[in-house]
């Protein structure tokens, strides 16, 4: 909340969240769902979904994302990749947990 309140929320598209309360609500939903969505919020005509990658302490250290232009990738199609993305994120987390050694 401190970070959101300290930011000037710049509008990039007509879908960009510029109201701090709306952004906080979206962040709460993202945390609850365990994945993020960009529905043309940064670039018109581009959608994306992302899943977190956690370090051994359980902190998010990176994300795995898929994005594409709306004519080629609908938001629903992007969401359909989330199960496979979560599996890939778990594999990456396992690699982080072993210090990169298999």
């Amino acid at each position: 909340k401190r970070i959101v309140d300290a930011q000037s929320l710049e509008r990039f598209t007509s879908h960009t969240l510029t109201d701090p309360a709306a952004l906080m609500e979206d962040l709460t939903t993202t945390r609850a769902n365990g994945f993020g969505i960009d529905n043309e919020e940064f670039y018109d005509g581009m959608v994306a979904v992302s899943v977190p990658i956690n370090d051994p302490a359980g902190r998010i250290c990176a994300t795995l994302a898929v994005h594409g232009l709306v004519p080629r990738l609908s938001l629903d199609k992007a969401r359909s990749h989330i199960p496979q993305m979560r599996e890939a994120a778990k594999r990456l987390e396992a690699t982080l947990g072993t210090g990169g050694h298999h």
Side-chain angles (χ1 to χ4, degrees):
K1 184 166 180 358
R2 286 181 299 191
I3 293 171
V4 169
D5 289 343
Q7 300 298 311
S8 170
L9 300 177
E10 181 180 350
R11 181 172 300 282
F12 295 99
T13 74
S14 62
H15 298 192
T16 302
L17 298 175
T18 57
D19 175 59
L23 180 56
M24 288 303 301
E25 184 177 330
D26 189 65
L27 291 171
T28 299
T29 300
T30 296
R31 176 172 274 198
N33 291 341
F35 62 88
I37 293 175
D38 178 347
N39 187 12
E40 299 185 66
E41 295 164 35
F42 192 60
Y43 288 114
D44 280 320
M46 189 194 82
V47 296
V49 295
S50 63
V51 297
I53 299 170
N54 296 307
D55 68 13
R59 299 172 299 209
I60 296 173
C61 64
T63 60
L64 178 63
V66 62
H67 66 274
L69 299 175
V70 172
R72 296 182 185 152
L73 181 69
S74 69
L75 190 53
D76 286 340
K77 180 67 175 172
R79 281 187 184 125
S80 76
H81 295 295
I82 291 172
Q84 295 90 348
M85 294 170 63
R86 283 185 169 149
E87 180 58 35
K90 286 180 184 178
R91 290 181 185 175
L92 290 166
E93 289 169 356
T95 301
L96 291 172
T98 62
H101 302 296
H102 295 1

